[in-house]
Amino acid sequence: RPRLFSGIQPTNDSLHLGNYLGALANWVPLQAEYDAIYSVVDLHAITLPQEPAVLRHRTRVTAAQFLAAGIDPVRSIVFCQSHVPEHAELAWVLSCITGFGEASRMTQFKDKASREGTDGSGVGLFTYPILQAADILLYDADAVPVGEDQRQHLELSRDLAQRFNHRFGETFVVPRPHIVKETAKIADLQNPEKKMSKSLGGSGCLDLLDDPKASAKKIRSAVTDAGREIAFDPENKPGVSNLLTILSALSGTDVPTLVSKFEGAGYGDLKKEVAEAYLGFVEPFQARVEELMTDEQALDDILADGARRARALAAPKLAEAYDKVGFLRGR
Ligand code: ATP
Ligand code: MG
């Protein structure tokens, strides 16, 4: 069966609706077609400052959200990135074949560094996409299900795989992004030009573990657009189009059907229905997360088992890469 890798950073207690619709919700059905490997990527999380005790909690609660969404840790591998040292080791090798200019062109670094101020950001934030390439290439992943914001990083992963193979001989599978167009970029409710994001947060971000009533309020206060017509037009009506995208994904009804259903209705009617659909999804989701979090030992055991299975794949791959590079065999 083809292999698949994806990860989410534990940079917040709660994932947001963009993470869910753009990533997690797609991960679940893919388990039927792929040998799937899903990671809580804590090495990535420390590219921005984290409080140690908080990071530990966030790592567990992020794993709990994977499971609550429907990831099956028996069928798929669910693990914590820092438990598999091969990620950092391969990242070093890949960083040595990455051009400085090439890394400098990554737009997410520019976005996040401009928020922190370039002098305030660590080198890890700069090399993040190289670590991400290592995450994927270690497992010979054919596909990587991500949101649109990761397309450029995936392109770098492909380039690095091809470059390594060309220079040292066939070693890595060249991965392809698996991006579901409809939900690839869920926008911030207050600022629909921007993607919903953990590091931005705020009143435009629907955190899955927030009080559902507060989330319903955020939906009712979402920025809509000039005019009154409910139409799907991401260019001119980004706010309304985002709400239609969300409702479509949560209800399983396609956008054109929704548009004709809301003919003659107002923005308020649309928001009301989005809020209802969201609550219908999020309330049982929260109950599952809460239940999983009552047994931390069980969660840690799942992650330990996942790490063992991940390492069994990653260790021989790293050994092969080390050998190709010309390192003397030490083990
Ligand atoms: P951060 O702001 O800390 O980078 P994030 O919200 O971007 O957090 P990540 O952990 O970086 O979340 O990304 C996890 C997954 O969620 C990735 O596959 C990413 O493409 C996807 N994703 C993130 N934001 C959105 C969004 N607004 N719409 C669709 N997919 C998204
Ligand atoms: Mg991100």
Side-chain angles (χ1 to χ4, degrees):
R1 289 193 342 152
R3 190 80 63 68
L4 171 163
F5 179 92
S6 198
I8 295 186
Q9 305 185 68
T11 38
N12 195 0
D13 284 0
S14 179
L15 300 181
H16 56 72
L17 189 64
N19 298 138
Y20 180 72
L21 294 180
L24 262 184
N26 304 320
W27 292 6
V28 175
L30 286 169
Q31 296 178 109
E33 293 165 55
Y34 288 85
D35 283 332
I37 304 167
Y38 296 126
S39 184
V40 180
V41 288
D42 52 353
L43 298 179
H44 285 282
I46 64 165
T47 55
L48 292 175
Q50 303 296 333
E51 198 61 52
V54 174
L55 177 62
R56 231 181 307 278
H57 172 73
R58 286 177 174 175
T59 299
R60 281 202 189 95
V61 79
T62 299
Q65 288 169 91
F66 286 11
L67 306 182
I71 304 302
D72 173 0
V74 176
R75 196 154 45 137
S76 304
I77 296 178
V78 177
F79 77 105
C80 172
Q81 188 187 25
S82 64
H83 293 170
V84 179
E86 285 79 4
H87 289 250
E89 294 174 309
L90 182 62
W92 174 255
V93 174
L94 295 177
S95 75
C96 295
I97 63 165
T98 307
F100 191 82
E102 186 177 33
S104 308
R105 282 193 288 277
M106 298 294 125
T107 56
Q108 189 165 95
F109 169 73
K110 291 180 196 163
D111 287 350
K112 289 193 177 180
S114 69
R115 260 183 259 154
E116 295 293 304
T118 313
D119 286 343
S121 28
V123 173
L125 188 62
F126 182 70
T127 55
Y128 174 123
I130 303 170
L131 177 60
Q132 190 176 339
D135 299 341
I136 298 162
L137 301 188
L138 263 185
Y139 298 100
D140 284 332
D142 303 282
V144 187
V146 286
E148 184 60 42
D149 60 313
Q150 295 301 322
R151 190 183 287 280
Q152 193 190 31
H153 291 168
L154 250 295
E155 206 46 56
L156 179 70
S157 298
R158 291 171 57 84
D159 289 345
L160 291 177
Q162 278 160 344
R163 189 171 308 154
F164 189 101
N165 289 348
H166 183 74
R167 211 170 281 181
F168 301 108
E170 210 51 46
T171 309
F172 295 118
V173 169
V174 180
R176 67 182 162 74
H178 176 99
I179 298 177
V180 177
K181 199 167 142 269
E182 288 77 9
T183 50
K185 191 180 173 188
I186 301 299
D188 184 279
L189 298 180
Q190 285 301 318
N191 199 342
E193 319 289 322
K194 287 212 166 96
K195 82 167 192 89
M196 197 177 273
S197 113
K198 282 190 243 111
S199 50
L200 220 54
S203 57
C205 181
L206 287 178
D207 285 323
L208 303 181
L209 301 184
D210 258 9
D211 174 13
K213 284 204 196 70
S215 296
K217 195 170 162 206
K218 283 183 179 177
I219 293 169
R220 284 197 304 273
S221 333
V223 164
T224 39
D225 313 288
R228 304 171 48 209
E229 198 200 351
I230 294 175
F232 189 75
D233 178 358
E235 190 109 330
N236 300 303
K237 286 178 164 270
V240 170
S241 302
N242 190 42
L243 291 173
L244 284 168
T245 299
I246 291 171
L247 181 55
S248 169
L250 289 175
S251 67
T253 312
D254 60 39
V255 169
T257 307
L258 289 175
V259 169
S260 49
K261 183 181 145 187
F262 281 104
E263 211 179 301
Y267 290 163
D269 302 307
L270 172 61
K271 288 176 177 179
K272 187 162 166 270
E273 197 148 325
V274 173
E276 273 166 21
Y278 180 73
L279 295 185
F281 147 69
V282 91
E283 283 170 346
F285 178 83
Q286 287 189 0
R288 287 194 292 276
V289 171
E290 203 170 309
E291 197 193 321
L292 287 159
M293 288 301 285
T294 58
D295 193 346
E296 289 188 347
Q297 190 56 54
L299 269 178
D300 290 358
D301 289 346
I302 286 172
L303 293 175
D305 175 64
R308 211 170 20 77
R309 289 155 64 201
R311 266 202 104 169
L313 300 169
K317 197 75 213 181
L318 180 75
E320 186 188 345
Y322 270 19
D323 191 54
K324 292 269 175 65
V325 166
F327 293 159
L328 194 60
R329 256 176 237 180
R331 35 191 167 178

